[in-house]
Structure formats: C-alpha cells, structure tokens
Amino acid sequence: MTTKAGVISSERETFETNLAKIEELSQRLIEALAQRKPINQALHGPDPLLYAEAAQAYWQEWLKNPAKVFEQQVGYWGKSLNHFMEAQQALAEGKLAPPADNGPSDKRFGNPLWDSHPYFNFIKQQYLINSEAIREAVDQIEEMDPKEKRRLRYFAQQITDMLAPTNFFATNPDALQKAVATEGESLVKGLENLVADLEANNGELVVRLVDEEAFEVGGNIATAEGKVVWRNRMMELIQYSPTTEQVHETPMVIFPPWINKYYILDLKPQNSLIRYIVDQGYTLFVVSWVNADESYRDVGLEDYIEDGYLTAMRVVREICGTEQVNVTGYCIAGTTLALTLSLLKKRGDKQVKSATFFTALTDFSDQGEFVPFLQNDFVDGIEKEIEASGILKSFIMSRTFSFLRSTDLIYTPAIRSYMMGETPPAFDLLYWNGDGANLPGRMTIQYLRGLCQKNEFAEGRFELMGETLDLRDVDVPLISITAETDHIAAWKDCYRGVQKMGSRSKTFVLSESGHIAGIVNPPSKKKYGHYLNPDLKLSADEWQDSADYHEGSWWPFWEAWLRKRSGKKVPARQPGDSEHPPLCEAPGTYVRVKANQ
C-alpha cells in the first residue's frame, strides 16, 4: 500500500530528477549560444536617433503644451493608483478575488486565472494600462515626421508586446500550472526544444513553428505529377502531366516568389492550385527557383528576367509550339513580371498573351507595414550584411516578416514550445513558411533601393538591361488578385499599381483573408469570398464600397477569364519533347535545397 508520504516523496524525486536534466540542458544551451555569429546591429532595431528624435519631440510638446502632457500622465497615474487600491481593498476584506471589471479582452489572456486570481488579474490589468499609456504618449507627439512617427509607433508596440506577462514564466499561469502538473517535465521538454532550435540555427533563435519531421517535399506535399524539362543556374522548369484528354492551346507558366519555395501552390491535393489548373485543361509550367548561396552575390534582377522569365517563356513556347504564353507572377515574382512586361514592350516583343498578378506590388509610394524596415538605417544594415556574406539570409527575412505579427508568429509559438514543452504542430502551411530561401545580394539591393525606397518603376525611371522601365508600359490584358487582410502586399497598394498600368483590359479581384489564404483558397472549402468591380478609376475605398461581393473562391472566375485568352482545344501534351527531354520527376532538385546549406 502506497502512503501519502510515499507519493509525495516519489513526486519530489521526479521533480529533482527533472531539475538535474535542466542543469544538463543549460550547459548545452550555453554551448549553442556560443556558436552564434554576430549580426549587424542595424538589423536588430532602428537607429537610436529615432528614439532621440521622439524624446526631443516629446520635450517640445511638454514645453509647448504642458497641460496636455500632465493630463496624460495624471490619467495614467490615476488608473494605476485606482487599480492598486482596488486590489488592496479586496485583500483587506479577505476577498481573494479580482475587481468586477476584468479589463479589455485580449486573446493572450485566455486562461481563466487571468480574471479569477487576484495576482494574475492585477498583473494583466496593469500591463494593459501601461500599454495604453505608451500608445497615448506616442500618439500625442506632434512635432515629428509622420513616417518616423509611424516607425516609433511600430517599435513601441514591439516593446509592449515583448513585455507581455504571458512571455515570462513567473507570470504565465498556463506554464506554471503545466510545470506543477508534470512535475517539471514540461520545463525539461521546453528547454530541449529551445536548445534544439538554437543548435539547428547556429546559435540564432529561430522559433520552430511546425513539426518538420511530419512532411517531405515530394512525399506528402508537392506531389502533383510532372517533370523537370529545363534547368539552368537560376531555375528548374516543371511541366505538369495532363489530367484531361484535351488542353487549351496557349500554355500557362507561373513564376512564384523566390523568397519561399513554389509548392505553396501544391501543398496537398485538396488545396493545390497547380492541380486545379491542370484539371481545367491547361498545359501548366511552374518555375522552381534556385536557393541562392554566396556564389550568387552578383546576381541581379536582370539575371532573374533573362535566365528566368525570358528563358522559361522561350522553352515553354518551344515545347508547346505556340507563339504566345499566359503568365502569372506571385508577390515579388509579380513585381518582376511587371518589369519583364515593360522590357518586352520596349523591345516590341508580343510573346505574352495575358498576365495574372497574385498579391503583387508595383507602386511603392506607400510602404505600408514595411515602413519600419525600409528606411536607410535598416537597409544600410542589410547592405553591410550582404557585403559580408553575399546574400540576404533566409532567417533575417523570416524574422522581419514574423515581427509584423509578433504575437502570433513569435511569442505564442515560443511560449508553447519553450515554456509548455509542447511539440510544434504538423501544419503544412507552417512547414512551407519555414522552408525559406536566401536572396542574392545584388538583387536584394536593387529591389530595396530602386523599387521600394525610390519607387523608380512606378515613376517610369527604373534602369535595367539597357532600358528605362515604366509601369505604364504594362499593356497586355491582365488580372490582379489581391487579399483583403494582406500585411505583406496591402491590396490598396496593389490596386494603385494596377491603376497605373497601361493595359486597356484590366480586371481587379479582392479576395478575403491574407497573403497566403487569400490565394490558396480552393472552391471546395467555400470559405473566403471575393469582391469584383469593373470601375478601376475609383479610389480604393470607393472601389470596395461599390464592389459586388461573391461567396466562395475566386478560382472559377479566374479560370473563366483565362479560358477566353487560351485559344482552342488541342490534344493534351506530355511533359517535354525531343529537344527538351525530362530531366527528373517533379518537384525537382532545387526545391529540396535548404537555406542553411
């Protein structure tokens, strides 16, 4: 018979064993951190002058309008004091309960203890009061450049997000409860996860979002049948096997972004845009870009256009025996597709029959949520990083994108993995998101300086390949698909670029959801709808206000648009031909190269 004392003794022994494991893991942690290579400090935050400018502007506000500043401070003091006294009064009365007002709702504070336990409730409410005070202080600064103030607001929010009590073990009830329930085992597993992530990234902390062992490219994702029919230093060109007896005469080639791998369009059969296009009777080619290493230091946008876009379209036309192709560009590949179309216009080349743009920016006059990262201090830091390594490493880009949604993509996964000791989920989309690619140095600087900062393409003065490229030269029939909550390529910015394009046949589609889910939106899900409005002379807000809303995916609408521009039906084409024999099975070899190799 086991006594209560025996049970306690056993639990204590287990707890001490786990503490000993933590000590061992701590040594591995120190060793992993020692492998970390220094990164240019400019990539960790803004130039200190931003904060100095903010302090000066706040001081000027104090001198000019002290009553306003005092009002804000006294309001903050009053809320904090009232909050403290309510807690004190409850304790004095022997009521171990929080005030009736639990504060504003916040998904980070989902544990009932945040509302029912006086300790956690006090911490939560004071954090929310502090956060509100910081936001108000930034908002009230007037004597500051609007763009710099926008950056200050962003970095202030990053600081408050980082200091959330949920991010610290001692003030996270979920983590504390699990540590007690598992006799410290959750802490051991969490530390194992942390050490593993550091060791896998040479001492750099990159939070693992997904169980990477659950997926295999070409095994259970990226499985659509096809062949690599062309390969050069920039790309592999995949031609997909037909699933219909006849196909439209004009082939389609898709250029995906080279920041990530192409298989976002072929994660699994039920949400594969690649399979959908082939099933509708189209001959489809997709480019799989090389994952750049240091030897690609001097590769620029001109190389992507010449050895990527123009070569792919030439090979596609040769294999299919056609004079024209339909083309699609996604994200940065859509931006570069527009550059390519301008170049072809300058050359009098009419090989493109129609163009489709997926969440593609071409006018950067408003830098949107990327304002904090597109100013000289940050871009200067990227330039120095590229001078040292020849590339912009994938993890730097991934970290930048993650900080646009830091709570969802950094802190919440870190809490689950490192504090709770949970195994990351087996989620194909997150696996793809983590399978990034490095960017060539020259191309990165051309993109950041010439397009993003100087907006030279939209203003008709982007010099490339012996021509001055102009957005207004894009005059082929086109359709632009954008996403309503896209935080990478804001739909209103995409719309402004389409308005400037010179085509007389332009169609604009606004899908619900974001940068990925707005595009990977199969009809079978019946999840996200879309907006249509033929009047592109309206402002973006006016366009949406008067647009017709349609339930379900935009894919069928796009296919109907594409069908009108794809010619008659011909016998289905098998991948390759005598001049372009298949080199290997899809998904090819380039897609398998990891960014850290």
Side-chain angles (χ1 to χ4, degrees), residues 271-292:
N271 66 358
S272 170
L273 180 59
I274 286 173
R275 290 175 183 266
Y276 177 83
I277 294 171
V278 172
D279 287 345
Q280 306 311 306
Y282 294 88
T283 302
L284 178 64
F285 296 78
V286 176
V287 166
S288 176
W289 299 104
V290 71
N291 194 341

Side-chain angles (χ1 to χ4, degrees), residues 40 42 379-389 445:
N40 191 292
V379 178
D380 288 346
I382 289 177
E383 202 157 12
K384 290 180 180 178
E385 177 70 17
I386 286 172
E387 288 174 3
S389 64
I445 297 305

Side-chain angles (χ1 to χ4, degrees), residues 7 10-12 14-15 18 111 113 169 172-189 419-420 422:
V7 171
S10 176
E11 291 177 347
R12 182 68 184 175
T14 301
F15 190 75
N18 284 328
N111 190 310
L113 287 177
F169 181 72
N172 187 317
D174 292 300
L176 290 168
Q177 286 178 317
K178 189 162 187 179
V180 171
T182 62
E183 298 171 347
E185 186 176 354
S186 62
L187 296 181
V188 174
K189 289 182 176 178
M419 287 192 199
M420 309 288 287
E422 297 177 2

Side-chain angles (χ1 to χ4, degrees), residues 293-295 297 382-393 396:
D293 59 23
E294 290 79 0
S295 67
R297 170 189 296 271
I382 289 177
E383 202 157 12
K384 290 180 180 178
E385 177 70 17
I386 286 172
E387 288 174 3
S389 64
I391 56 176
L392 180 60
K393 296 175 182 176
I396 295 176

Side-chain angles (χ1 to χ4, degrees), residues 58 60 104 111 148 172 456 474 510:
Y58 196 79
Q60 289 176 345
N111 190 310
E148 290 298 282
N172 187 317
E456 291 176 341
V474 179
L510 176 60

Side-chain angles (χ1 to χ4, degrees), residues 71-91:
E71 182 181 3
Q72 192 268 336
Q73 286 296 311
V74 171
Y76 166 67
W77 296 340
K79 289 178 182 178
S80 298
L81 180 59
N82 185 61
H83 179 215
F84 174 74
M85 292 190 64
E86 284 181 346
Q88 286 288 91
Q89 184 176 357
L91 289 173

Side-chain angles (χ1 to χ4, degrees), residues 77-126:
W77 296 340
K79 289 178 182 178
S80 298
L81 180 59
N82 185 61
H83 179 215
F84 174 74
M85 292 190 64
E86 284 181 346
Q88 286 288 91
Q89 184 176 357
L91 289 173
E93 294 175 356
K95 299 177 181 177
L96 294 178
D101 180 9
N102 291 320
S105 62
D106 189 309
K107 65 181 180 180
R108 291 173 292 184
F109 304 112
N111 190 310
L113 287 177
W114 287 113
D115 292 334
S116 64
H117 193 287
Y119 168 72
F120 291 114
N121 182 264
F122 179 84
I123 291 172
K124 179 193 83 168
Q125 291 212 50
Q126 190 58 49

Side-chain angles (χ1 to χ4, degrees), residues 259-552:
I259 293 174
N260 287 96
K261 308 293 180 64
Y262 84 88
Y263 63 85
I264 186 61
L265 302 175
D266 186 36
L267 286 177
K268 49 192 174 187
Q270 55 266 42
N271 66 358
S272 170
L273 180 59
I274 286 173
R275 290 175 183 266
Y276 177 83
I277 294 171
V278 172
D279 287 345
Q280 306 311 306
Y282 294 88
T283 302
L284 178 64
F285 296 78
V286 176
V287 166
S288 176
W289 299 104
V290 71
N291 194 341
D293 59 23
E294 290 79 0
S295 67
Y296 283 75
R297 170 189 296 271
D298 296 323
V299 165
L301 285 169
E302 58 270 36
D303 297 288
Y304 278 89
I305 292 175
E306 188 64 54
D307 295 332
Y309 289 75
L310 298 182
T311 296
M313 291 190 286
R314 174 180 59 78
V315 172
V316 168
R317 289 185 291 115
E318 289 173 354
I319 291 175
C320 296
T322 61
E323 294 183 358
Q324 291 186 304
V325 295
N326 290 317
V327 293
T328 296
Y330 192 170
C331 191
I332 188 175
T335 306
T336 310
L337 174 59
L339 293 173
T340 305
L341 293 172
S342 175
L343 178 68
L344 292 176
K345 172 69 172 180
K346 298 289 187 184
R347 294 178 175 180
D349 189 325
K350 297 183 179 181
Q351 64 178 290
V352 172
K353 194 170 186 178
S354 76
T356 299
F357 298 92
F358 291 165
T359 62
L361 291 169
T362 51
D363 181 350
F364 294 85
S365 55
D366 186 340
Q367 297 164 349
E369 292 190 46
F370 281 94
V371 163
F373 304 106
L374 289 177
Q375 307 317 304
N376 282 332
D377 52 0
F378 194 77
V379 178
D380 288 346
I382 289 177
E383 202 157 12
K384 290 180 180 178
E385 177 70 17
I386 286 172
E387 288 174 3
S389 64
I391 56 176
L392 180 60
K393 296 175 182 176
S394 173
F395 87 88
I396 295 176
M397 291 181 292
S398 176
R399 183 180 63 178
T400 300
F401 287 132
S402 294
F403 271 109
L404 294 176
R405 295 169 55 203
S406 56
T407 296
D408 294 332
L409 295 179
I410 297 178
Y411 300 123
T412 297
I415 289 167
R416 290 173 179 167
S417 184
Y418 306 150
M419 287 192 199
M420 309 288 287
E422 297 177 2
T423 300
F427 188 14
D428 55 2
L429 178 59
L430 289 179
Y431 177 85
W432 166 84
N433 186 66
D435 189 14
N438 304 318
L439 298 186
R442 175 176 166 79
M443 185 285 302
T444 301
I445 297 305
Q446 286 175 310
Y447 180 76
L448 292 177
R449 296 292 193 194
L451 296 177
C452 296
Q453 284 193 322
K454 299 178 182 178
N455 201 28
E456 291 176 341
F457 183 43
E459 295 178 5
R461 50 189 179 86
F462 190 68
E463 302 287 340
L464 196 72
M465 301 175 73
E467 302 285 356
T468 301
L469 304 184
D470 190 334
L471 182 57
R472 294 162 186 78
D473 290 332
V474 179
D475 63 352
V476 301
L478 64 90
I479 183 170
S480 175
I481 317 295
T482 60
E484 190 173 17
T485 58
D486 193 335
H487 65 284
I488 295 174
W491 79 266
K492 293 180 181 180
D493 298 334
C494 297
Y495 179 80
R496 187 174 59 251
V498 170
Q499 284 183 310
K500 291 183 178 180
M501 293 178 182
S503 174
R504 290 182 294 178
S505 175
K506 296 187 285 190
T507 302
F508 191 84
V509 180
L510 176 60
S511 173
E512 292 182 308
S513 195
H515 193 69
I516 301 302
I519 299 300
V520 184
N521 180 25
S524 58
K525 282 191 174 182
K526 299 179 181 178
K527 192 171 184 180
Y528 301 118
H530 58 280
Y531 298 88
L532 298 172
N533 188 340
D535 190 354
L536 301 188
K537 294 180 181 179
L538 301 172
S539 69
D541 290 330
E542 291 170 338
W543 183 93
Q544 186 176 26
D545 289 343
S546 58
D548 295 325
Y549 175 77
H550 299 263
E551 294 185 353

